[in-house]
DNA sequence: CCGATACTTCGGCCGTAGCCGAAGCAATTG
DNA sequence: CAATTGCTTCGGCTACGGCCGAAGTATCGG
């Protein structure tokens, strides 16, 4: 157990894992950049993480793509973050990138930040979703609404992961919607071209189309 | 974040935190013994853990009692353990103490091990409890049954924590019952003298009375 | 008060592990 | 078949942090 924690406990490796938190697979070089250390050093870290089965690798040509081995690793990282935030408040320089990421970002594979919390608030307000402390449910009205929007709920339901999970947002400190539903909704928004990923970051850029879309669908001005 | 993980990442500190996992408050000396290092070293570790708000201290005479600051720390530790267990299987010498702890122990403040899982199985089998993936519920029949047993459900309900939470057992790899219900049930069993804590361990000793009680109440031979 | 116990602080030793430069494979490109 | 790119292995440097012995503060008991 200490071993796993120690792996996460190195700043370079923590950066690597955080970079992988959005569920995408990244190359060793990209991770080296994210970690802020040289390629050699990164390579060493990656093989350690792989040894402990925290990450998987898949070769494609001369690239090697790394990803988290599963959602349990993501959840562990989130729970560590949650504890880290309850600690003594640290002065951190607010940067522009920071503001971006507070505004809208992905959290493993669903939306977080003001955007994610705003969507959750709206869905709860109009009885589309009921969120408990550790689980949530989509109402009939909610299913109808999401289907109307083009979200494939049946596919989400078929997957073996938790269907609807509240996920405490580390910037807003309020829950947003995770689980298969959150992922399906996020996917649909990508499809619709409402949001785009910002390069080298978990931050999201909301397109003009998205601005209109979120207003119409969720009465959300972003 | 890396900071918190690094704190857990040291073997001595991991031992300390695990020793506190059952929710009891322990003295610095007891923790030194649990960690397997000297009192001075332990003192250093404790002040670091305190600095990061992972543990709280309360002075009582010449003793200082340390405890986890809250359930979120416990949950973080559990999630790290869960990941550690999915890693490469490690050969660990099975000791007598090991068997004891596999048989019956506390998990933060409720029962785990064969005992905890057995109780959960029985409660589910006779429709007293329904356990989902991330949350659970006590049925009317269950409420009646537990009240009959002397468990104070209304007090449990009044507390602000999650009422009924499935908690994956790290030895049995199946869920047992946590949350306020799990804690209340465990409390009642202590009151009835069915179980006693084993010194310096999270393991539990089941008394002869307990053996009869668990058989009558849960049809469980332990 | 004096000694014992509980715990902390200080100082110095030592090992582990992170880091990079250099060099070595492997796959791709011109 | 070089030259380039992506990634890894090796070797050596360095520093951070855990560890204990010794000494210093609290609290309790006789």
């Amino acid at each position: 157990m200490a071993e796993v924690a120690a792996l996460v406990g190195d700043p370079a490796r923590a950066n690597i894992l955080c970079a992988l938190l959005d569920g995408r697979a990244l190359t060793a070089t990209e991770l080296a950049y994210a970690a802020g250390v040289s390629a050699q050093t990164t390579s060493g870290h990656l093989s350690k993480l792989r040894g402990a089965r925290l990450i998987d690798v898949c070769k494609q040509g001369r690239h090697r793509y790394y990803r988290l081995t599963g959602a349990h690793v993501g959840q562990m990282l989130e729970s560590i973050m949650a504890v880290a935030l309850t600690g003594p408040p640290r002065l951190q320089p607010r940067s522009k990138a920071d503001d971006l990421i507070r505004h809208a970002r992905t959290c493993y594979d669903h939306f977080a930040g003001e955007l994610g919390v705003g969507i959750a608030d709206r869905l709860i307000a109009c009885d589309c979703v009921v969120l408990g402390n550790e689980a949530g449910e989509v109402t009939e009205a909610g299913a109808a609404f999401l289907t109307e929007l083009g979200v494939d709920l049946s596919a989400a339901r078929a997957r073996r992961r938790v269907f609807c999970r509240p996920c405490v947002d580390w910037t807003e400190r309020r829950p947003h919607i995770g689980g298969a539903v959150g992922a399906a909704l996020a996917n649909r928004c990508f499809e619709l071209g409402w949001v785009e990923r910002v390069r080298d970051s978990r931050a999201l850029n909301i397109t003009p189309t998205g601005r209109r879309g979120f207003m119409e669908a969720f009465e959300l001005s972003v």
Side-chain angles (χ1 to χ4, degrees), chain A:
Chain A
M1 166 172 169
E3 223 164 303
V4 172
L7 283 172
V8 186
D10 176 78
R13 282 191 297 257
N15 284 333
I16 289 174
L17 292 169
C18 284
L20 293 173
L21 245 190
D22 66 0
R24 280 182 298 178
L26 301 177
T27 66
T29 310
E30 288 171 319
L31 290 172
Y33 178 79
V37 293
S38 71
Q40 315 89 290
T41 303
T42 304
S43 178
H45 287 313
L46 290 173
S47 66
K48 280 179 194 173
L49 291 171
R50 209 150 73 81
R53 309 268 165 88
L54 294 187
I55 58 176
D56 263 347
V57 67
C58 85
K59 266 178 83 166
Q60 257 179 49
R62 61 179 163 180
H63 292 283
R64 293 203 179 184
Y65 286 92
Y66 289 91
R67 70 172 70 192
L68 300 185
T69 44
H72 59 293
V73 179
Q75 294 204 13
M76 174 187 74
L77 295 172
E78 301 278 351
S79 78
I80 295 174
M81 268 192 197
V83 170
L85 283 170
T86 63
R90 322 185 44 96
L91 20 149
Q92 27 198 347
R94 281 189 61 140
S95 66
K96 194 152 186 184
D98 239 45
D99 286 342
L100 263 178
I101 223 165
R102 276 167 201 280
H103 184 228
R105 66 174 178 283
T106 54
C107 167
Y108 199 62
D109 56 6
H110 51 267
F111 291 157
E114 290 168 31
L115 176 65
V117 170
I119 290 176
D121 282 349
R122 175 63 185 166
L123 287 176
I124 291 166
C126 57
D127 287 323
C128 286
V129 165
V130 181
L131 278 192
N133 240 343
E134 310 232 352
E137 224 178 298
V138 177
T139 63
E140 280 186 35
F145 172 79
L146 290 171
T147 305
E148 167 78 15
L149 200 63
V151 178
D152 189 353
L153 282 185
S154 55
R157 237 179 260 277
R159 297 172 65 182
R160 285 187 48 230
R161 64 187 289 199
V162 179
F163 184 59
C164 183
R165 193 169 66 83
C167 179
V168 176
D169 197 288
W170 60 270
T171 50
E172 299 293 308
R173 309 218 176 176
R174 291 190 303 126
H176 57 249
I177 297 174
V181 170
L185 176 57
N187 265 333
R188 180 58 180 157
C189 292
F190 279 117
E191 269 176 32
L192 290 168
W194 288 6
V195 290
E196 303 165 336
R197 295 186 187 279
V198 173
R199 194 175 143 70
D200 298 328
S201 159
R202 291 164 63 195
L204 292 170
N205 181 33
I206 299 174
T207 63
T209 319
R211 211 167 293 279
R212 277 196 307 279
F214 285 123
M215 177 52 87
E216 280 171 29
F218 301 102
E219 298 187 3
L220 201 63
S221 66
V222 279

